[in-house]
Amino acid sequence: MHNGDCDADAARRLVDEVGFFAEREVPRYLAGRPEEEYPDELVKRLRLLGVFGADVPVRYGGLGCGEATTARLLYLLARSWQSLASLVGTHLKLCGQMLRHGTDEQRSAWLPVMSCGEAVFARAYHEQGCSDPELLTTHVRDSAGRRTLHGRKDWVTNARHADRILVLARDGRATLGILVDPTADGVRIGPELPRPGVLGVSLASVTFDGCAFDPERDVLGGPGHDLTDSLRAGDLRSYTTRAVACAEAVCDQAARFAARTIGRRPPDAQGAIRLRVGEVRARTAAMRAIWTDLLGPAPTIGPDEAKVVCTALLQEIVQACVLLCGGAGYADPHDSLGRHYRDALALPIVGASNDTLLSRIGSAALASEEAR
Ligand SMILES: Cc1cc2nc3c(=O)[nH]c(=O)nc-3n(C[C@H](O)[C@H](O)[C@H](O)COP(=O)(O)OP(=O)(O)OC[C@H]3O[C@@H](n4cnc5c(N)ncnc54)[C@H](O)[C@@H]3O)c2cc1C
């Protein structure tokens, strides 16, 4: 959705404002509340900042930032709190889907309200053990002259607070994206799913039991518009952005702690600590290099490879940083290391499991060897 509507000064101002919000306002908010609570106040601030329409062209009410600025905004949010990055990242992806696939009427109806955050979108794509659009079991039926939706999605981020959910469902040989009002008849949001991290923004299953929809109005791209091929090329770059943000946040925190405490350690401990700090810094720098390459004009690494490498490296970095801080890493009064530690666990899974991606990368490598 690169469009160049937003000039360089406006983009810089936005990055500064979101940086201030992420660095100051979010930690202050989190210090006073249980992490499980929906961050209504922060979502209102994100609306005012224009983040929900960051990458949407100005003619549709967005800010028209290019991809690089939008990735930077997501980075800042993830550095502070992964939950906000997951809510905003999902919504921005859906703005992109609306822009790419929506009919003129759908774009005019939805993009302005999506951009100002009046309508926040969630997505219900995945079913347990099934990421291939052709194998989804959620489907469309015709009953009594109406088109209805049937099936279940196991994990939907922001299900409880989204204004619309884009649901993937099979209709014959096509995969449709259907815009569903979560409060409509025939939609049931399950209880909040227990989990170690990415709290605050809800995560729940959603069941569709005869939910009626209007094919002209509610099917993304109009009746019969098939998303199968575009879904196969799903973009995982936002997870790399979030992994880099998390790695840099914990690395800075651990380095600050080490610098503050190293002077009172015996010489052999000081050497070991320097080595450990050096190790996490070098790994974090490698992640940033991958991220920069990925978002550059001619990437040399694919989004799947980048996601696998960065989210896997992140696990080692977070563990090392918690260890470096000792008790203060695990039981930190501000809990930010502990929160990053818990949130980081989700990143090798979300979007597509790293193992699934590795097996896809491996199959492609073997196929290309066989074709030689
Ligand atoms: C915090 C969180 C938020 C989420 N939010 C959303 C959302 O908003 N919308 C949405 O649609 N989905 C969402 N999901 C679902 C997410 O996309 C899936 O969990 C993810 O794609 C993994 O699928 P799965 O859980 O079905 O794992 P499975 O496919 O069951 O895989 C489990 C494990 O089996 C092995 N495996 C399976 N297949 C293969 C293979 N082909 N090759 C090698 N190994 C394999 C791997 O070890 C893999 O990790 C969310 C999940 C989480 C955890």
Side-chain angles (χ1 to χ4, degrees):
M1 232 197 305
H2 199 101
N3 47 65
D5 277 329
C6 178
D7 66 46
D9 282 344
R12 247 192 312 275
R13 268 197 310 278
L14 177 65
V15 168
D16 285 349
E17 283 173 358
V18 173
F20 182 85
F21 165 80
E23 225 174 274
R24 301 285 169 82
E25 296 178 41
V26 175
R28 209 179 304 138
Y29 169 91
L30 282 169
R33 277 182 193 73
E35 202 183 318
E36 293 80 6
E37 211 172 85
Y38 180 71
D40 210 15
E41 196 180 297
L42 299 180
V43 172
K44 282 187 186 133
R45 285 283 295 128
L46 287 169
R47 278 193 194 113
L48 290 176
L49 288 164
V51 170
F52 287 109
D55 206 11
V56 176
V58 170
R59 69 180 184 284
Y60 288 117
L63 297 177
C65 300
E67 257 177 316
T69 304
T70 306
R72 181 81 198 150
L73 300 178
L74 206 59
Y75 167 92
L76 291 167
L77 297 178
R79 205 185 144 103
S80 178
W81 192 16
Q82 287 287 337
S83 299
L84 291 181
S86 91
L87 183 154
V88 169
T90 302
H91 176 83
L92 289 176
K93 278 186 187 151
L94 293 164
C95 290
Q97 295 278 29
M98 180 60 74
L99 197 63
R100 266 190 301 281
H101 296 284
T103 60
D104 288 346
E105 290 75 19
Q106 287 169 336
R107 288 185 209 175
S108 307
W110 284 113
L111 284 172
V113 283
M114 291 174 88
S115 295
C116 67
E118 197 183 313
V120 176
F121 274 42
R123 61 180 186 172
Y125 288 9
H126 195 85
E127 291 164 14
Q128 182 156 38
C130 174
S131 56
D132 184 336
E134 287 191 78
L135 301 178
L136 294 174
T137 59
T138 299
H139 62 280
V140 169
R141 271 188 219 155
D142 289 307
S143 52
R146 297 183 322 159
R147 304 229 77 197
T148 54
L149 189 57
H150 304 261
R152 175 193 156 97
K153 303 289 179 175
D154 297 284
W155 302 277
V156 177
T157 295
N158 204 24
R160 213 169 296 290
H161 295 93
D163 300 285
R164 285 291 180 281
I165 303 179
L166 185 69
V167 184
L168 291 188
R170 292 294 284 172
D171 183 21
R173 297 169 71 88
T175 312
L176 307 185
I178 301 164
L179 294 164
V180 171
D181 177 349
T183 62
D185 285 347
V187 182
R188 191 162 44 79
I189 313 237
E192 198 57 23
L193 290 165
R195 57 195 184 275
V198 203
L199 303 171
V201 172
S202 90
L203 183 67
S205 66
V206 184
T207 307
F208 307 95
D209 186 11
C211 161
F213 63 92
D214 174 347
E216 296 282 344
R217 188 193 57 196
D218 301 327
V219 174
L220 187 68
H225 183 76
D226 185 8
L227 296 174
T228 308
D229 290 340
S230 89
L231 290 165
R232 289 235 166 84
D235 189 355
L236 298 172
R237 285 179 301 178
S238 64
Y239 304 112
T240 298
T241 301
R242 288 171 54 185
V244 172
C246 185
E248 293 188 349
V250 295
C251 193
D252 287 352
Q253 235 173 299
R256 263 196 311 277
F257 177 87
R260 207 171 57 241
T261 54
I262 197 165
R264 50 176 195 261
R265 316 266 188 197
D268 57 338
Q270 291 193 12
I273 288 167
R274 279 203 182 85
L275 185 137
R276 182 70 81 183
V277 171
E279 182 185 56
V280 290
R281 273 274 183 251
R283 289 180 171 183
T284 308
M287 286 174 68
R288 178 164 275 263
I290 290 173
W291 184 48
T292 307
D293 176 82
L294 185 69
L295 296 179
T300 57
I301 190 166
D304 291 7
E305 285 96 340
K307 193 249 175 184
V308 169
V309 173
C310 288
T311 59
L313 267 177
L314 172 65
Q315 309 307 310
E316 295 169 22
I317 291 169
V318 179
Q319 289 248 2
C321 288
V322 169
L323 196 59
L324 258 170
C325 296
Y330 188 74
D332 168 18
H334 307 296
D335 194 36
S336 129
L337 255 184
R339 178 161 41 76
H340 278 302
Y341 180 69
R342 289 179 280 111
D343 290 352
L345 286 176
L347 286 172
I349 299 166
V350 287
S353 151
N354 280 6
D355 280 355
T356 307
L357 294 173
L358 282 172
S359 106
R360 197 153 87 190
I361 295 164
S363 300
L366 294 183
S368 92
E369 279 305 317
E370 280 159 18
R372 270 171 200 260

